[in-house]
Amino acid sequence: MNTKYYLTEVDKNPLSIYCYHNLMGETFIESHHHDKGQFLYTEGGVVHVKTKNRIYFLPARHYMWIPPGLQHAIYPSSPKVIMRNLYFPVPTNAGRFYYKEGIYPINNLLMELLLHTKQWNGDIVKSQRNKFTIALAFKAILEQTVSRSLHIELPQATDHRLISIIKYLTDHIHQEHLLPELASRFSMTDKSLYRLFKKDVGMSFIKYYTQLRIFKSLEYLMNSDYTISEIANMIGYISLPTFSNTFNKVMGKRPSEYRKSNEIYLED
């Protein structure tokens, strides 16, 4: 189905639960919002979800809850990415979970129910008793089994100078960048660049840069053609142990453990 077409269909029936599964290919979904809350699950790579203020890095085998009305765009990291979406009406008295975006690991119960829905597409309405009951149960289980949101996100820069600097860092992620050299390249002093990061994105250069590198490595870890050592080099780490230790601090597990725990098995 055409992406623009399906986005206009999501809210046509305000009482339905809308289901949409697809292989994204090279496409991206332009900035939009919907009245329903969105459960977004991905396989095969990382999906970037961009809101006005943040960039979320949604890794395979995780889901993101996108609350009603939140403006967002979706960019896949690979043509192999599969997205599985369920859109739910959210009443105004719903729990806090449904009104806050977040990224969460998927549990086995949700995975089984999601597998059950993978042949569904379009509106699921009350008269479809079997499907509707399962979809409602899925929504309830989301809130009841939710764990702490994973902070796999970076703030969006607003200062034009910092936007250019972050683009440079992203485009040259394979190189190691130090604050003094970066400041010099953009005709700034060390102190002024440090202050700019703190003021505009609310974190230090080293924290932002470290997270940018680690989040980028998530995309490469989904590609089994690269060894862990090669991935370390691809994001500018000369030392494999340094990369592994840093990855563990940010993600809570080693790169090899992460790769093993995120093998794809949700096939069409």
Side-chain angles (χ1 to χ4, degrees):
M1 184 185 293
N2 178 278
T3 298
K4 285 186 179 179
Y5 174 73
Y6 106 77
L7 288 176
T8 63
E9 295 295 296
V10 168
D11 289 327
K12 269 194 174 175
N13 182 343
L15 300 178
S16 75
I17 295 167
Y18 194 88
C19 187
Y20 184 69
H21 301 270
N22 81 322
L23 180 67
M24 287 200 72
E26 298 287 358
T27 63
F28 73 93
I29 299 173
E30 62 196 28
S31 187
H32 66 286
H33 69 275
H34 21 75
D35 297 334
K36 293 174 181 173
Q38 179 181 0
F39 167 92
L40 167 61
Y41 174 88
T42 182
E43 283 286 354
V46 172
V47 166
H48 302 133
V49 180
K50 296 186 179 182
T51 66
K52 181 182 177 182
N53 299 317
R54 310 193 83 74
I55 303 173
Y56 292 88
F57 297 75
L58 175 61
R61 303 295 307 284
H62 291 71
Y63 72 88
M64 182 170 181
W65 177 258
I66 300 171
L70 182 69
Q71 194 78 19
H72 61 284
I74 301 174
Y75 302 79
S77 66
S78 157
K80 297 177 182 176
V81 167
I82 297 168
M83 284 204 326
R84 303 192 183 279
N85 303 275
L86 289 167
Y87 299 83
F88 297 95
V90 180
T92 52
N93 63 348
R96 285 178 58 194
F97 165 80
Y98 298 111
Y99 283 97
K100 175 69 176 170
E101 69 263 31
I103 292 176
Y104 309 92
I106 196 164
N107 61 52
N108 291 336
L109 181 55
L110 284 173
M111 180 69 84
E112 288 300 320
L113 287 174
L114 188 61
L115 280 167
H116 191 77
T117 74
K118 71 177 190 174
Q119 301 303 323
W120 301 357
N121 266 304
D123 289 314
I124 309 298
V125 294
K126 269 189 178 179
S127 59
Q128 299 168 289
R129 189 169 299 171
N130 291 339
K131 287 183 178 181
F132 197 78
T133 302
I134 291 168
L136 273 184
F138 187 96
K139 180 186 175 187
I141 291 166
L142 273 180
E143 185 180 26
Q144 291 173 24
T145 63
V146 69
S147 55
R148 182 188 290 179
S149 176
L150 302 176
H151 291 289
I152 318 177
E153 64 199 65
L154 285 171
Q156 292 259 43
T158 57
D159 188 286
H160 68 93
R161 294 168 298 172
L162 198 55
I163 290 170
S164 298
I165 290 165
I166 289 171
K167 183 179 187 307
Y168 177 81
L169 289 173
T170 306
D171 292 345
H172 299 83
I173 201 79
H174 58 286
Q175 299 169 349
E176 187 171 24
H177 301 281
L178 302 175
L179 181 66
E181 296 168 359
L182 192 64
S184 176
R185 174 174 287 276
F186 286 88
S187 303
M188 299 175 73
T189 65
D190 299 8
K191 280 187 178 179
S192 60
L193 181 55
Y194 179 84
R195 288 187 188 124
L196 183 59
F197 266 93
K198 291 289 282 186
K199 180 182 177 183
D200 197 42
V201 295
M203 62 176 68
S204 67
F205 161 74
I206 192 65
K207 183 176 181 181
Y208 190 99
Y209 178 45
T210 298
Q211 291 189 359
L212 180 66
R213 295 163 96 183
I214 296 303
F215 296 161
K216 184 65 178 178
S217 75
L218 299 178
E219 300 175 22
Y220 298 139
L221 282 163
M222 293 298 99
N223 188 331
S224 58
D225 294 341
Y226 302 125
T227 66
I228 304 295
S229 181
E230 286 172 334
I231 291 169
N233 292 331
M234 290 164 75
I235 58 166
Y237 282 95
I238 299 168
S239 162
L240 177 56
T242 301
F243 166 59
S244 183
N245 290 337
T246 306
F247 188 97
N248 189 37
K249 283 180 184 176
V250 174
M251 298 301 299
K253 57 181 71 174
R254 300 278 171 188
S256 54
E257 296 171 323
Y258 180 86
R259 170 174 269 174
K260 189 174 182 181
S261 67
N262 288 284
E263 290 169 351
I264 302 169
Y265 71 83
L266 244 184
E267 299 293 344
D268 271 330

